[in-house]
Amino acid sequence: MTDYLLVGAGLAGIAFAEIALQNNKSIHVFDDKSQNSSTIAGGLYNPVILKRFSEVWRSQEQVDLGNQFYAQLEEKLHVKLDNKIPIYRKLYSVEEQNNWFIASDKPNLAPFISPKISYNQYKGINSPFGFGEVLQSGYVDTAALLKNYHNYLVEANLLQFDSFDYENLIIEDDFVEYKNHQYKNIIFAEGFGIHSNPYFSNLPLDGTKGELLIIKTKELKLDVILKSSVFIIPIGNDLFKVGATYNWEDKTATPTEEGKNELLSDLKSLLTTEFEVIDHLAGVRPTVKDRRPMLGTHPNYPNLHVLNGLGTRGVMLAPDMAKMLFEHIEFQQPLEKEIDIKRFKKISWD
């Protein structure tokens, strides 16, 4: 009998798979490649909400665990994943400068916010009020992570690229059976694909479409992540990732001219340099209206579990949430109320 059957191999599924393997558990993973939000994500980890200069929930715990988790994956996969560079938030007024200073004085934000305004000059960026520097930030190359981790799982015969057939799932008291194989537990980490899942489709997961551009310019010599109306991430070879849009109506992963034009408009208001659009990407983020992930166990089937709703902060949340769910299953550690699916009291369960 295998310990875990995992459905979904995005950031959430990979994080749970790795934590299970680190704890000597056996796994098998199914992924149908239908969800691409983890692959095209900006991959930022940012402990500060830059619109309001406030702290991200569980920011220090997530940063610390993420540092350890991605370092272990780099060693395991022999690939560079974690790029630790500061985020520069462009400031637009004296009032924003003052708000930045006020935030940097708060004990919970002091580890993440530099108390000094940076007046570094970057060609093509007009910034008379300078930049606020976010510490303990950077980005993870999510495309490289998924590609290399999938290859690792395939070589170990642990990953099957196939659609999961819910009708073939047999649920017993102490295990589940799928296509003549038995598993102690099944983890559904399907992202927006949860809407096809008959056991968890009633959960209030919303999809927020995001579009990104890859641009090329030799004039822009950024050595930081720039955050303004859009973020600009230097990814090497004069290439930059630019994003992202937020569309709550369109639930497709198809790039649109509307999204592209929105990004170009914001980019042109920020940069005076010439640039070339190399690629245009889109995906649907698994988001929840209360901005918290959805973890937990099905109330009627104790071997069925869900790990979802990581939204725009998947890189930060995935290791922390996967660890919480693993400890909840293995050691009966209670989940925090604000992430437990029990918080959705009006849901009817089959």
Side-chain angles (χ1 to χ4, degrees):
M1 184 181 295
T2 302
D3 290 312
Y4 287 100
L5 172 59
L6 294 167
V7 183
L11 281 170
I14 281 177
F16 193 94
E18 180 60 18
I19 287 171
L21 291 174
Q22 288 176 2
N23 285 273
N24 300 313
K25 299 298 179 180
S26 54
I27 67 169
H28 192 77
V29 186
F30 276 81
D31 189 274
D32 62 4
K33 298 186 178 181
S34 65
Q35 304 301 313
N36 70 337
S37 61
S38 292
T39 305
I40 70 135
L44 288 179
Y45 53 92
N46 170 19
V48 181
I49 299 172
L50 291 172
K51 284 185 179 180
R52 303 187 293 274
F53 301 156
S54 56
E55 183 185 10
V56 170
W57 173 70
R58 287 182 57 82
S59 54
Q60 193 64 68
E61 293 94 333
Q62 289 169 16
V63 167
D64 291 343
L65 182 58
N67 286 338
Q68 177 186 0
F69 182 79
Y70 294 114
Q72 290 172 334
L73 284 182
E74 287 182 331
E75 183 176 353
K76 178 174 187 168
L77 303 174
H78 307 291
V79 63
K80 176 67 174 175
L81 300 172
D82 189 0
N83 300 272
K84 298 182 184 300
I85 57 176
I87 296 173
Y88 272 26
R89 163 56 153 89
K90 183 178 176 180
L91 303 174
Y92 283 87
S93 64
V94 172
E95 181 182 7
E96 282 203 336
Q97 289 180 329
N98 290 335
N99 290 339
W100 187 265
F101 290 132
I102 291 170
S104 69
D105 279 339
K106 295 180 179 178
N108 62 323
L109 287 173
F112 309 121
I113 290 185
S114 171
K116 298 178 181 179
I117 301 295
S118 173
Y119 289 96
N120 287 2
Q121 296 298 311
Y122 294 100
K123 183 180 179 181
I125 301 171
N126 184 29
S127 53
F129 296 98
F131 305 95
E133 180 181 351
V134 181
L135 309 173
Q136 301 191 55
S137 60
Y139 75 94
V140 170
D141 187 339
T142 56
L145 170 58
L146 267 64
K147 176 184 176 181
N148 285 275
Y149 202 85
H150 289 175
N151 288 343
Y152 159 75
L153 291 175
V154 168
E155 289 175 6
N157 201 29
L158 299 177
L159 172 60
Q160 187 171 338
F161 289 113
D162 196 3
S163 296
F164 186 81
D165 184 356
Y166 302 97
E167 292 186 358
N168 274 327
L169 182 65
I170 300 170
I171 304 172
E172 303 289 355
D173 290 340
D174 298 323
F175 63 91
V176 299
E177 183 174 319
Y178 185 70
K179 295 187 175 180
N180 299 318
H181 196 98
Q182 295 178 353
Y183 304 87
K184 292 180 182 178
N185 292 282
I186 180 169
I187 309 294
F188 291 107
E190 302 158 292
F192 190 63
I194 198 175
H195 291 290
S196 300
N197 185 321
Y199 301 101
F200 291 103
S201 60
N202 287 337
L203 287 173
L205 184 99
D206 198 4
T208 310
K209 182 172 183 173
E211 300 190 46
L212 302 170
L213 299 177
I214 306 295
I215 66 167
K216 184 171 186 176
T217 172
K218 293 185 177 181
E219 299 177 60
L220 186 61
K221 303 297 182 183
L222 270 183
D223 56 356
V224 298
I225 298 168
L226 181 63
K227 179 67 176 77
S228 181
S229 53
V230 291
F231 63 73
I232 304 177
I233 304 175
I235 56 176
N237 300 318
D238 299 321
L239 296 174
F240 301 84
K241 188 176 285 189
V242 178
T245 63
Y246 293 84
N247 187 322
W248 286 266
E249 304 300 325
D250 184 357
K251 308 300 184 184
T252 70
T254 305
T256 66
E257 282 300 308
E258 180 184 4
K260 181 178 181 179
N261 291 334
E262 179 183 336
L263 291 170
L264 288 175
S265 175
D266 287 340
L267 196 54
K268 289 175 180 177
S269 69
L270 181 60
L271 300 181
T272 60
T273 58
E274 296 293 323
F275 59 86
E276 175 189 2
V277 177
I278 301 298
D279 204 357
H280 179 196
L281 308 167
V284 182
R285 313 174 187 91
T287 53
V288 187
K289 288 185 178 179
D290 65 6
R291 298 176 182 270
R292 291 290 181 266
M294 299 191 305
L295 282 67
T297 300
H298 195 289
N300 300 329
Y301 306 113
N303 307 102
L304 272 61
H305 316 276
V306 65
L307 174 57
N308 210 319
L310 304 190
T312 61
R313 298 186 181 275
V315 162
M316 284 185 67
L317 284 167
D320 192 26
M321 297 301 101
K323 182 173 181 285
M324 283 189 178
L325 183 59
F326 180 83
E327 292 175 349
H328 171 66
I329 297 168
E330 293 292 333
F331 311 118
Q332 292 74 54
Q333 292 286 343
L335 294 169
E336 295 190 18
K337 292 180 180 179
E338 55 193 321
I339 61 172
D340 196 327
I341 58 173
K342 291 179 181 178
R343 70 188 189 271
F344 304 115
K345 301 185 185 300
K346 295 182 179 180
I347 290 180
S348 59
W349 298 93
D350 293 333

